[in-house]
């Protein structure tokens, strides 16, 4: 009878150890899943951040390009106007010279 009780106690202890091991394994699995989820979220956030930085950089580059084009356009316009003014001045001087020539 004592032998039976000892066997039953040993069996019970074995079952408890197995349950504890299963619970520990389950806990470990949960922790690993949470870690994997956290890592995936971090990677996602990093991608979102990189995309945001890329958009901002592209917008800044575009704005700089526009600013350069505008400056070049304004410089070209200024040169054209200066040329036209110089030509008009020359024409006026030539006209005056011709009138002076006729008057003389």
């Amino acid at each position: 009878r004592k032998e039976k009780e000892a066997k039953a106690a040993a069996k019970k202890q074995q079952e408890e150890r197995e349950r504890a091991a299963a619970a520990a394994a389950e806990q470990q699995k949960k922790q690993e899943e949470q870690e994997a989820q956290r890592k995936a979220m971090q990677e996602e956030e990093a991608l979102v951040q990189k995309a945001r930085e890329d958009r901002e950089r592209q917008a800044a580059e575009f704005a700089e390009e526009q600013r350069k084009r505008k400056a070049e356009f304004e410089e070209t316009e200024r040169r054209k106007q200066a040329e036209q003014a110089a030509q008009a001045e020359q024409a006026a001087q030539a006209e005056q010279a011709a009138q002076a020539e006729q008057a003389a």
Side-chain angles (χ1 to χ4, degrees):
R1 185 189 152 157
K2 277 198 175 171
E3 204 175 300
K4 249 187 186 175
E5 284 176 6
K7 274 187 182 176
K11 187 177 180 189
K12 193 174 177 185
Q13 278 183 333
Q14 180 63 27
E15 286 172 353
E16 282 175 12
R17 277 197 296 271
E18 286 171 3
R19 262 199 303 275
E26 186 63 31
Q27 183 64 30
Q28 175 74 20
K29 187 178 163 194
K30 272 185 190 168
Q31 283 178 339
E32 286 170 1
E33 284 172 358
Q34 285 174 343
E35 182 61 24
Q37 234 176 353
R38 190 183 63 76
K39 198 172 180 187
M41 284 172 67
Q42 276 182 332
E43 287 170 1
E44 176 71 18
E45 180 54 37
L47 287 174
V48 168
Q49 179 66 23
K50 185 182 184 313
R52 186 180 305 124
E53 287 168 1
D54 286 350
R55 278 195 308 274
E56 288 169 1
R57 181 181 45 75
Q58 285 174 343
E61 286 172 1
F62 180 74
E64 177 62 15
E65 188 62 32
Q66 294 292 89
R67 188 193 63 72
K68 281 183 186 169
R69 282 198 187 136
K70 184 175 185 239
E72 285 172 14
F73 175 76
E74 288 171 351
E75 177 62 18
T76 303
E77 284 299 299
R78 192 187 60 71
R79 280 205 196 110
K80 275 189 209 166
Q81 287 176 354
E83 253 176 63
Q84 286 174 347
Q87 285 175 353
E89 181 67 24
Q90 281 180 338
Q93 285 176 354
E95 180 68 27
Q96 281 179 343
Q99 284 176 355
E101 188 79 18
Q102 281 178 347

